[in-house]
Each structure stands twice: as structure tokens, then as C-alpha cells.
């Protein structure tokens, strides 16, 4: 039985995985980047802060039987480091990636490849719910639109015309409806994160609002991908 599991975390499914591994009697450590001042803590051991690149992570894998990368789908640097360090040290790696979202009837989505492309897709004068997280908000700085920026912690810079809402998802559908209505939102900009934060997309669909959705960065080639916590447990 695999005993020592290192989970690269920072997501709800990483917390669920840690909890189920701990319940199974496995020795689980979750690694957090240390960006959020008051993170929701998982079961088991927790370490915080970067490893110091691929070399640092490879060194840390000496004490580990299996590495699970359960970081956010947009944490591409960490995922790349995990693949490189696992390959170098011969450590088995499972990448846990929840599925992305799929447009349904009534959705008015424009998919783009980056935050910069999302900024270019915003019509002049739009009232935008910017729900892409704290990092990367600077890409929208010079856009001629008004922004409701929602993030867990304040971004370093805000667009020129913006209001900040500090909040941690997932959000209830009724709350998303109320937010769109209260601020007269005409466009939603989000990452294709997948998972439980889709209420904003449902509320946008109900109102016939367009959504600019940023596509996920690609995974490193050749990694084993699980799409749910159950899949990871089966693979282990
Ligand atoms: P990133 O750009 O892929 O990683 C940048 C650096 O941060 C990495 O090279 C690593 O530093 C450190 N790092 C990232 N995740 C780490 C982890 N779990 N444990 C230890 N070090 C970590 O990452 P990011 O997009 O800034 O995301 C940071 C964290 O926030 C991740 O844990 C991710 O799951 C979570 N998160 C990200 C998003 C998003 O939209 N990007 C959304 C929600 C949650 P070293 O090179 O020094 O090891």
C-alpha cells in the first residue's frame, strides 16, 4: 500500500483528497503555495511556500512514494515542475484535473486563450464581472470598461474604473443572480476552472449575458490524469 503521499494543493478537491487519504490511514502531506493569508486547511500534514523550482521539489520527493498534483487547472508552472521533478526522481505522479465546463443551450460563450485575449474581447463601455482571481488582473488595466473585480484577496492593481468585492467561492446561484442584477453587469469574464463555481455562468445564461471564458493551459505531455478524487484513490 502506498503510504507517503504528497498532494500539491490549493483547491477544494485537494482538501477532499487529503481527508480521504487520512481516513484511509495514509501518511498525507498537502503543500500550499502560501499565497492566501487564511487558507482552508486540509487533513493531515500541511507545508506552505514554494519548493524553490524543480530542484527543490525533486529534493522533497525523496521522502515521498506518490506525488498528486491537485493544484488549480491554471497553476501551470507548478504542474510543469511536478512533471519534471517526478520524471527526474522516478516518483509516480497523478495529476488530478476536474473537467472543464461545456457550453449548453442558451450559453453565449467566447473562448479565449489567455487573460490578455480576454481583455481584448471586452466591448467598450461593458460592465464586467471579472471573476478570474487575484492574479493577472493587471491584464485588464487599460480596458475601457467598468469592472466588478471579485477575488479572495485584493489584487495588487485594479483596472482604472473598478470596484472590488472580496469573497471566497463557491457562490450560491441566488447570490450570483443578485450580484449581476445589483451591479448591472453586461459581461462575465472567468477562467474555465470547472467544478463548483459555475453558478456565475448559470446566472449569466439566465440573463442572456455573454461570457468570455479563458481556456486552460495545456498539461505536460505523458502525465497520468485523474478527473476526480475517486479516480485518484483507484489509481493509488
Ligand atoms: P503557479 O503559477 O503554477 O506556480 C508558481 C509558483 O508557486 C511555483 O513555481 C511554486 O514555487 C509555487 N507553488 C504553486 N503552487 C504550489 C503549491 N501547491 N505548493 C507549493 N508551492 C506552490 O501557481 P499559481 O497559479 O500562482 O497558484 C498558486 C496556488 O493557488 C496553487 O496551489 C493553486 O492550486 C492555487 N490556486 C490557483 C488559482 C489560479 O487561478 N492560478 C486559482 C485557485 C487556486 P516554487 O517554484 O518555488 O516551488
Amino acid at each position: 500500500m502506498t503510504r507517503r503521499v504528497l498532494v500539491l494543493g490549493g483547491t477544494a478537491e485537494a482538501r477532499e483528497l487529503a481527508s480521504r487519504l487520512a481516513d484511509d490511514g495514509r501518511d498525507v502531506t498537502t503543500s500550499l503555495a502560501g499565497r492566501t493569508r487564511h487558507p482552508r486547511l486540509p487533513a493531515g500534514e500541511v507545508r506552505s511556500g514554494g519548493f524553490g523550482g524543480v530542484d527543490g521539489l525533486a529534493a522533497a520527493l525523496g521522502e515521498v512514494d506518490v506525488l498528486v498534483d491537485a493544484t488549480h487547472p491554471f497553476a501551470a508552472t507548478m504542474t510543469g515542475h511536478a512533471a519534471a521533478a517526478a520524471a527526474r526522481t522516478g516518483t509516480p505522479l497523478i495529476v488530478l484535473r476536474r473537467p472543464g465546463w461545456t457550453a449548453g443551450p442558451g450559453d453565449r460563450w467566447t473562448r479565449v486563450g489567455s487573460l490578455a485575449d480576454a481583455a481584448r474581447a471586452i466591448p467598450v463601455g461593458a460592465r464586467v464581472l471579472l471573476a478570474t482571481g487575484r492574479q493577472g488582473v493587471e491584464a485588464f488595466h487599460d480596458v475601457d470598461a467598468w469592472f466588478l473585480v471579485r477575488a479572495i484577496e485584493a489584487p495588487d492593481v485594479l483596472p482604472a474604473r473598478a470596484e472590488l468585492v472580496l469573497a471566497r467561492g463557491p457562490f450560491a446561484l441566488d447570490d450570483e443572480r443578485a450580484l449581476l442584477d445589483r451591479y448591472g453587469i453586461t459581461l462575465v469574464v472567468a477562467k474555465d476552472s470547472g467544478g463548483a463555481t459555475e453558478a456565475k455562468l448559470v446566472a449569466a445564461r439566465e440573463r442572456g449575458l455573454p461570457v468570455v471564458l479563458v481556456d486552460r493551459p495545456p498539461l505536460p505531455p505523458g502525465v497520468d490524469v485523474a478527473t476526480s478524487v475517486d479516480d485518484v484513490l483507484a489509481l493509488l
Side-chain angles (χ1 to χ4, degrees):
M1 187 189 200
T2 305
R3 286 193 56 252
R4 296 164 305 176
V5 183
L6 177 61
V7 177
L8 303 176
T11 57
E13 55 270 36
R15 276 195 307 281
E16 185 193 339
L17 177 63
S19 157
R20 295 190 47 193
L21 289 171
D23 288 348
D24 277 359
R26 312 222 196 205
D27 179 351
V28 55
T29 300
T30 299
S31 172
L32 301 176
R35 306 271 163 74
T36 310
R37 266 191 292 277
H38 304 290
R40 291 181 178 153
L41 290 176
E45 297 289 316
V46 178
R47 68 163 300 287
S48 184
F51 292 93
V54 177
D55 291 347
L57 179 57
L61 291 180
E63 301 296 316
V64 169
D65 294 314
V66 174
L67 176 62
V68 181
D69 170 18
T71 54
H72 190 270
F74 282 80
T77 303
M78 190 70 250
T79 294
H81 289 182
R88 188 192 295 175
T89 57
T91 308
L93 167 67
I94 301 169
V95 179
L96 171 54
R97 274 297 169 280
R98 58 196 177 204
W101 290 310
T102 309
D107 281 323
R108 295 175 58 201
W109 295 0
T110 302
R111 287 189 172 271
V112 295
S114 67
L115 291 173
D117 288 344
R120 281 189 280 273
I122 295 172
V124 170
R127 292 181 63 84
V128 181
L129 170 59
L130 187 61
T132 50
R134 180 170 58 88
Q135 296 183 67
V137 170
E138 59 277 6
F140 300 89
H141 191 261
D142 297 326
V143 177
D144 187 4
W146 181 87
F147 291 87
L148 182 64
V149 177
R150 182 169 67 189
I152 297 175
E153 291 183 6
D156 295 335
V157 287
L158 285 177
R161 290 191 291 129
E163 186 168 330
L164 177 65
V165 177
L166 296 180
R168 193 197 299 255
F171 304 98
L173 180 55
D174 271 346
D175 293 338
E176 296 294 53
R177 289 174 176 139
L179 191 80
L180 296 185
D181 295 345
R182 191 180 324 129
Y183 288 93
I185 298 297
T186 62
L187 175 76
V188 175
V189 178
K191 291 175 173 170
D192 184 8
S193 302
T197 54
E198 67 176 337
K200 57 183 175 268
L201 304 178
V202 176
R205 179 194 308 146
E206 290 174 350
R207 280 150 182 72
L209 295 180
V211 174
V212 174
L213 205 59
V214 183
D215 279 333
R216 298 165 167 210
L219 285 167
V223 293
D224 287 331
V225 180
T227 56
S228 68
V229 169
D230 283 334
D231 277 0
V232 175
L233 295 172
L235 283 168
L236 284 171

